[in-house]
Every structure is written in structure tokens, then in C-alpha cells.
Amino acid sequence: MKPSIPKGTRDFLPQQVNRRNYIFDIIRRVFIKYGYQAIETPVMENLSTLTGKYGEEGDRLLFKVLNNGDFLNKADEAALRERDSTKLIPSISKRGLRYDLTVPFARFVVMYQNDLAFPFKRYQIQPVWRADRPQKGRYQEFYQCDVDVVGSESLSYEAELVQIYDEVFAQLGIKTVIRINNRKILAGIAEVAGIPEQLVDMTVAIDKLDKIGIEGVRKELTERGIGAPAIATIEKILAIQTLPELEQALAASPTGLLGVTEIAAVMNYLEGYQLTNTLHFDITLARGLSYYTGCIFEVNVDTTAHPDVKMGSIGGGGRYADLTSVFGMRDMPGVGVSFGAERIYDVLEELQLFPAQDAAALQVLFIAFDAASHRYAFRCLNQLRAAGINADLYPDPVKLKKQMKYADDRQVPYVIIIGDQEMNTGQLSFKTMANGEQEQLTMAEIIARF
RNA sequence: GUGAUUAUAGCUCAGUUGGUUAGAGCGCUGGAUUGUGAUUCCAGAGGUCGCCGGUUCAAAUCCGGUUAGUCACCCCA
């Protein structure tokens, strides 16, 4: 049979795994430094935990897991007869693959509320699954790196998350623009424009501004049934750049003013803190139609510093007033952000920012001529490993050519060749692959080289 | 859910208006070289042209269907 893997999934070669771990390690270390703790949740959740949390589109993109056993015998007869898949699902599938890390986290918080200390600061780096049609940079299985704090409304956490973004991308060497806005400001705009009940329509349209331009947004707003006077008001406010001007424009909306105050408070926390990346208040940032209620964030590659990189957002998040009420626990506010690890990988690759020397790589390969020197080499190998040097021994004393070729394929920087001569003198042939130079060194001298 | 596009050697791909035995590069195996990789030279192995059907004297090539991949839209990371 011809081997293959499911659509939208990927295998990772050793180099790719090392590079992915490089990204995850940086992110993880920063999370830990800021006091966040790791949790993990199962790949599968009860389907009832997942359905209805991501909208109609989200339900369609959920991977459902077929029940074990004689599931058809227990299937909904009527739905089966009508060939109604949607109606049939509950009776044949009770589990699904997690769609994101936020909903499982909400479930987790409710289940362990008595064991957690609030504010609870958690991070989670795990794969999620979506039955979307795959395309460039989008997969059915991909990793999310989420960091959230729940149980506090303090805006100092918003400031802290900006610092986390800043520090991670500084360490990765990517210049980014961290954009910040506030849902309450968007609500204020809708109020001032006289269309408070069409807030969602307005946000969805504004969110596309980068992509479709002001003309496109105008068209989209019109299509969504928003009148010309309201559109004019919206456009006028979207052009505003500074907080004081915005305060004036939103004077009629207490919610809008609160949003402005919140942004100012976050900026205030960050005053005097030296950011490596650009923090930019962007009134046009909207972040889709998700559950955010306060500050929202999005991170993009700085196109001034990296003009050739064409990449969507590489991170985003925001504050939500109530994470857990769908699971019966009220008044649990939180704020969190996510890192788009898959996209960050692509950016680092394009900018050639991955470290050249791979920490996990093999450093030395032993090569032997015959059975006796192979046994001798095995003991030398143990000494190198005991000294903490990544070392390996070719498994058989076959032709040198074959062993050397393996060393080359493994891209090992040094080879130690052992034969009669070396065993008798204790002076091993230590070869530097890059230039082909060979030296006669004792084990002690070799270990001292690393 | 909508649309476009691709499928030929292990991999990446050529293959003319349909016409002899389907090619290249890389990789693989052996040799030049029984103590040396990457470099050089020589030789060799390796293909049911995704699958099913149709047109034709003749199909990798044209037509229909089908499966799978890729890309874009919707949405999203």
C-alpha cells in the first residue's frame, strides 16, 4: 500500500521538531517567568462540552469521535431513516476532539475551582483539531500556545501580557507590532452611530479593514443593513488616532469612555517600561465576533523591519467578562493571549532566524575498523556520553566509506576513527568534518574540546 | 459549504497537433579507492504514467467519471 497521512496533518522531521521545540521552549520559559503554570487537558472532550460554543460554523468544524461498540444499534432510528446527519450525531458520538484550548480551560476551571488559587494563571501548549479545508499555513491539526489569567479584572494583567508578547518576540528576533484596542470602544462607536444592536455586524466589517480597505468596509456595512449616516459616523471615528480625540468623539457613550480609560490605564502601567516591539493603539482592531469584552490584542510582523514577510497575525487575544458561565460558574473574568506557533515557525524560517547550531544534534560519531576496535570504541563512547557530549557509534565495523557517509548524512561535526593503531597508542583519530583535518588525541584531550 | 488546479521512477519534475523501447536531476546500489564523507569519474537497479471506463489502427497525451493532494473563498490560528 501507498503510505499517507490524513489531509491537513503533518509529520515532522527531526530538524523540524528541534525548531518547533526552540519556539515552544522560549514561549514556555517566558510564561513561567511571569508566574504562569502549565496545565494539560485531554485530546478528547465530551461532545456536549464542545458543541454550541463556537457558533454554527464551529460545530460543523468539530471532529466527532464515533462511539465504540455496536453504535448503530443504539442510533437514533428516526434520524437514521431520514439520513439526517446533524440529528444522528448525538446518538452515535459522545466525544469530540478539542477545537481550541479556551473552552476546555473553562471546563477545567469550573471542575477544579476548589483546588485552584485565584487569580489562576495558566499556560497550555497542546494541539487542537479543526475539520476545516486545509490551505497554506492552515492545518486540521495544529498547536496553540495559550496563556490566560482568570479571577481578576486588574488591567495590570493586560500590561503583563503585552510584556510577554514583547519578550517572546524579542527573544525570537522578530520585530512585531502589538496592536491593542478595546471592545468597549467599539461598542461606544456603535452607540454613537446609533446602531448599538448591530455591534457584531459592525465589528465583523471593521475587522476586515486591512484586507478589503475602507471602500470594502463601507460596502460590507451597507450590505449588513447599516445606514449611510451611521457609516459616516463610524468612518469619522475610525480615522481618530489619539485617545483625547477619541474621548471627545465618544462623550455620549459611557461604555465607550470606559474603554478609552481602560486603554489609558494599560498604557500607564507600561510607562517607563522599555518595549522592544511597537505597541500601537489601533481603533480598527476588532478580532472577529468572539467573546471578548474588554481589551483586545493582535500581533503582526513589523513590515517596516521585515518588508518581505507576508503573514497574517501571529498572535492575538483579549479580555472576556465571563469565561465559565456556560458551565454554571458565574463572575469569572479573565484575560489571555495566544501565540500562533505554526506561523511563527514560517516567519523564522523565511527570515533565517533559527539558530544554526542545533542543541539537540549529534556532536561526535565513532567509527571502527573491526570487531576489536568496535568494542574499544563502545567504551570510549560511554566516556563521552558520561561527560555530557551527544555521541554515537556506528553499529557495525563495515567499510569506512559507508560509515563516513553516514557521518556526513547525520551532519555530525566530529568523527573519531578507531583501529589497531589507535587502540595501541591511545591516540585516537579525531576528524573535523567541515575541513577534513585529522588530529591524534587522547580521550581526555577530546573531552576537553567540548 | 463554493471555486480553481494538479496526479508520470524513492523525491522534484520534463514529456511537442495522439505515433518506435516514457526521460532528466537528485537519491539509491556497485566500482575507480581493502584507513576516510561532502567534491570527481564510470556502471547499474528502479515506472500498471492515481484509479475506472470511453474515443481511436494507436492514449502518459483527447473525453467522461472517480479518488487523493494542493491553492483560494467563507471562516479562522
Side-chain angles (χ1 to χ4, degrees), chain A residues 336-348:
Chain A
V337 296
S338 184
F339 288 78
E342 319 282 354
R343 287 182 172 182
I344 292 171
Y345 183 102
D346 291 341
V347 172
L348 288 177

Side-chain angles (χ1 to χ4, degrees), chain A residues 23-130:
Chain A
I23 297 172
F24 291 141
D25 286 347
I26 286 178
I27 291 173
R28 189 177 293 117
R29 276 198 297 270
V30 173
F31 287 170
I32 291 169
K33 180 157 70 168
Y34 281 79
Y36 291 80
Q37 293 177 288
I39 69 160
E40 293 195 9
T41 62
V43 161
M44 288 186 289
E45 291 280 345
N46 290 327
L47 205 47
S48 57
T49 301
L50 302 173
T51 44
K53 309 296 190 301
Y54 308 105
E56 200 179 320
E57 176 82 358
D59 283 353
R60 196 168 63 78
L61 299 180
L62 277 176
F63 274 103
K64 291 104 187 163
V65 176
L66 200 57
N67 288 345
N68 295 68
D70 189 7
F71 59 88
L72 262 191
N73 194 29
K74 296 170 185 164
D76 184 326
E77 287 287 352
L80 200 53
R81 220 175 312 116
E82 292 162 30
R83 296 274 192 278
D84 186 335
S85 305
T86 315
K87 232 175 95 187
L88 182 63
I89 284 168
S91 66
I92 61 167
S93 168
K94 59 186 179 193
R95 293 161 298 181
L97 300 184
R98 63 165 171 254
Y99 180 86
D100 69 0
L101 300 178
T102 307
V103 166
F105 176 50
R107 184 223 9 107
F108 180 97
V109 168
V110 175
M111 281 180 67
Y112 303 104
Q113 51 185 289
N114 293 326
D115 306 312
L116 302 175
F118 293 99
F120 179 57
K121 304 175 81 174
R122 88 85 167 82
Y123 77 88
Q124 194 171 354
I125 300 176
Q126 289 193 277
V128 302
W129 290 266
R130 295 183 188 178

Side-chain angles (χ1 to χ4, degrees), chain A residues 120-407:
Chain A
F120 179 57
K121 304 175 81 174
R122 88 85 167 82
Y123 77 88
Q124 194 171 354
I125 300 176
Q126 289 193 277
V128 302
W129 290 266
R130 295 183 188 178
D132 204 357
R133 281 278 266 276
Q135 48 187 288
K136 197 172 184 64
R138 289 176 62 176
Y139 307 95
Q140 293 199 337
E141 178 185 61
F142 61 97
Y143 273 74
Q144 287 196 331
C145 311
D146 276 21
V147 59
D148 288 82
V149 52
V150 295
S152 166
E153 290 183 317
S154 170
L155 290 163
S156 64
Y157 285 123
E158 270 84 343
E160 176 175 285
L161 290 169
V162 169
Q163 292 175 317
I164 286 177
Y165 266 142
D166 187 62
E167 184 156 348
V168 166
F169 287 115
Q171 286 191 33
L172 289 171
I174 306 174
K175 284 272 183 223
T176 66
V177 177
I178 303 162
R179 291 185 296 152
I180 183 172
N181 193 14
N182 196 298
R183 270 296 166 85
K184 296 188 177 92
I185 292 177
L186 293 168
I189 296 173
E191 275 179 40
V192 171
I195 51 156
E197 69 289 344
Q198 283 173 292
L199 171 62
V200 171
D201 284 315
M202 188 194 80
T203 3
V204 169
I206 291 177
D207 198 31
K208 297 179 181 169
L209 184 66
D210 309 353
K211 217 171 185 176
I212 60 180
I214 190 69
E215 286 295 329
V217 171
R218 203 175 292 148
K219 189 161 158 261
E220 174 116 13
L221 287 170
T222 308
E223 277 166 11
R224 287 174 180 268
I226 293 169
I231 293 178
T233 308
I234 292 167
E235 265 187 59
K236 214 175 104 196
I237 300 177
L238 288 186
I240 293 174
Q241 300 281 337
T242 66
L243 292 178
E245 282 178 86
L246 189 58
E247 213 156 11
Q248 281 197 333
L250 295 179
S253 163
T255 308
L257 287 177
L258 184 55
V260 177
T261 310
E262 287 185 8
I263 293 282
V266 174
M267 296 298 191
N268 198 0
Y269 274 116
L270 290 170
E271 217 164 279
Y273 183 85
Q274 193 60 47
L275 289 171
T276 305
N277 296 275
T278 309
L279 177 62
H280 174 59
F281 168 63
D282 183 353
I283 195 172
T284 68
L285 177 63
R287 298 276 311 154
L289 21 65
S290 42
Y291 40 78
Y292 298 120
T293 53
C295 284
I296 48 182
F297 305 98
E298 193 159 302
V299 183
N300 288 83
V301 175
D302 186 335
T303 48
T304 315
H306 310 295
D308 297 332
V309 178
K310 304 268 182 296
M311 183 60 72
S313 72
I314 53 176
R319 177 166 286 278
Y320 33 88
D322 192 359
L323 179 70
T324 53
S325 62
V326 282
F327 297 112
M329 184 186 188
R330 296 175 54 181
D331 301 325
M332 185 52 71
V335 59
V337 296
S338 184
F339 288 78
E342 319 282 354
R343 287 182 172 182
I344 292 171
Y345 183 102
D346 291 341
V347 172
L348 288 177
E349 188 161 61
E350 184 167 350
L351 295 175
Q352 300 185 347
L353 288 174
F354 282 110
Q357 191 59 35
D358 183 352
L362 187 63
Q363 292 166 280
V364 178
L365 180 74
F366 282 93
I367 283 176
F369 280 104
D370 49 37
S373 49
H374 194 259
R375 284 191 292 274
Y376 185 95
F378 190 82
R379 286 188 282 276
C380 296
L381 171 67
N382 292 336
Q383 287 180 50
L384 276 200
R385 286 176 175 167
I389 297 160
N390 304 341
D392 207 350
L393 163 65
Y394 196 85
D396 303 291
V398 295
K399 284 199 307 194
L400 270 220
K401 184 185 170 78
K402 194 169 171 66
Q403 300 194 61
M404 287 300 295
K405 178 153 172 45
Y406 180 73

